Every structure is written in C-alpha cells, then in structure tokens.
Amino acid sequence: MDSENPSAPARSQSRNRDKKHPGGHPDGRRPAGVVHDHVRHTENFTVIGNDLAQHQELSLLAIGLACYIQSVRRGTAVDIKTLAARFPEGPTRIASALRELETHGYLRRTRERTSTGRIVTRTVSCNRPGHRGSREQAARSRPARRTEPDEPAPRKRLPAVPQPSRPWPVLLRTAVDVLSGLRRHDPRLLLSATDAEHLAPGVAAWLERDLTPTAARHD
C-alpha cells in the first residue's frame, strides 16, 4: 500500500495558487514587454501601415514625420520651414528625415513653376510605396476616349524629307505635279495638298540630280 508524501502540496492549494497568478508567474511578476491598453477609434484617426511604423531602416524621426504628414489634410504645408516651426527638431534634422522618406518612397517632391513664374515644391505622400493611387488605377482601366464624328482625329507627324540644294519655284511645282499624278498610276497614292507640299522638297531633291519625272514616279 502506497503512503502519502507529506511534503507534496495539496491539489486544492495548487489550484488556488493558479487562480492568484493566471499569467503563470507564481512570484507575481508581469510578463516582459509592452501591454496594450487600446480603445477602438471611431473618429479623428489615421490608419498607418506597419510597414512604415515598424520600418527596419528609417529613423524614428523619419517614421514619426511620415505619420504626421499622412495624418494632415490635403494642402497642408509640409516644407522644412513649416515643420521646423511645428516641431522641436531643427531644420537640419527634419531635412534629413524628409530625404530618408524620399529614398524609401514615402515622399515624392518635385519643383514646379507656377503661372506667375514662381518656383514651388510639390510634395506627394505615399502610404504604400510602389502602389499608385486609386485615381490613377481608375484612369488606366478607363477605356480610351473615342473620337467624335465631328471631331478631327489628331494628325500624325510627317517624316522628314531631303531638301534640294536650291529650292527653285519651278522645281518645286514640278515636284508637286509628280506627286499629284501618282494617283493615276495607283489609286492608293492619293495625296492631300498638305502631304504633297510636305513631300515636294524630297522629290525636288531627286529631280535636282537629273532624275526625270517619269523615273521619280517609278522610284
């Protein structure tokens, strides 16, 4: 017959101890690390991605600055001078943080000239670098605008043609006559007056080399 171990704690005592320390720490210590005491926001909040908040290469100042820029309204000034007046960090540190955000794609800054001739810096904040905004995606997916029947189609740019060394009026008129007569040999070669005028110098350059109009038509 087995005998009881007088040094073993009673089961009821063990259960009571577990109730006093549900975290599994009998000495009363709390688990290491942060403990969140969060309240769900329903207004006046900004969604920040963990790829930014926990970025492995950005400095803490750059991460905080990016969070601030993403939280402000469209059109809010975020230049170095304005940010230096808003935060205790000086212009040098803020400029360095902005360059970090540019390097990693969270900011795009371009210099543009206004209608008055003034040079301004346009800043675009990206909450997910590498992903374009929904407006640009919608523009790409939108079907191409059809040309209305009464709206002339855009004219293609005509290719460059050789120029005669001496553009004599008689030589150019002969070249135009050669081009206008091509349709008699092939109906597909019907040229408009604009096309004939554009191509005439090239034909004139051929005629200038003692090439006959008949030979020019066949070439």
Side-chain angles (χ1 to χ4, degrees):
M1 181 175 179
D2 295 338
S3 60
E4 293 185 359
N5 186 355
S7 63
R11 294 182 180 179
S12 59
Q13 294 178 357
S14 177
R15 285 196 296 269
N16 291 336
R17 181 175 297 177
D18 292 341
K19 290 180 181 179
K20 292 181 180 179
H21 306 289
H25 297 273
D27 57 357
R29 292 181 302 172
R30 292 185 177 182
V34 66
V35 177
H36 293 135
D37 183 10
H38 287 174
V39 176
R40 183 180 181 84
H41 291 286
T42 58
E43 59 181 358
N44 194 27
F45 66 94
T46 301
V47 177
I48 302 294
N50 284 339
D51 54 346
L52 170 61
Q54 301 176 13
H55 203 283
Q56 297 295 318
E57 298 180 14
L58 289 174
S59 65
L60 186 60
L61 176 58
I63 293 175
L65 195 55
C67 292
Y68 170 77
I69 293 175
Q70 291 186 21
S71 71
V72 298
R73 294 180 179 273
R74 181 185 181 93
T76 301
V78 289
D79 57 279
I80 297 175
K81 183 178 180 180
T82 302
L83 293 173
R86 169 67 174 79
F87 297 103
E89 289 77 10
T92 302
R93 294 186 61 194
I94 288 178
S96 177
L98 291 175
R99 286 194 296 269
E100 287 185 63
L101 296 177
E102 279 189 286
T103 300
H104 291 279
Y106 288 97
L107 278 188
R108 295 198 305 270
R109 293 189 293 179
T110 57
R111 297 178 67 83
E112 299 179 356
R113 186 183 298 274
T114 64
S115 57
T116 60
R118 181 185 176 189
I119 301 296
V120 297
T121 300
R122 181 187 179 192
T123 303
V124 178
S125 172
C126 307
N127 64 348
R128 293 189 66 188
H131 292 73
R132 296 185 180 275
S134 57
R135 292 183 180 180
E136 295 183 13
Q137 291 179 352
R140 287 199 304 269
S141 60
R142 191 181 302 123
R145 179 174 175 266
R146 294 183 178 180
T147 304
E148 299 296 332
D150 56 348
E151 181 180 348
R155 185 177 180 83
K156 293 183 178 180
R157 187 174 182 179
L158 297 175
V161 297
Q163 299 294 318
S165 59
R166 294 184 179 181
W168 300 108
V170 176
L171 188 63
L172 292 175
R173 281 199 301 270
T174 304
V176 171
D177 292 340
V178 171
L179 293 169
S180 301
L182 292 177
R183 61 187 177 87
R184 291 195 294 268
H185 301 275
D186 190 337
R188 295 173 299 176
L189 298 178
L190 178 61
L191 300 176
S192 65
T194 302
D195 292 339
E197 183 179 356
H198 174 78
L199 297 173
V203 177
W206 286 355
L207 298 176
E208 197 176 38
R209 301 172 187 171
D210 296 331
L211 190 69
T212 64
T214 303
R217 293 190 187 97
H218 291 287
D219 289 347

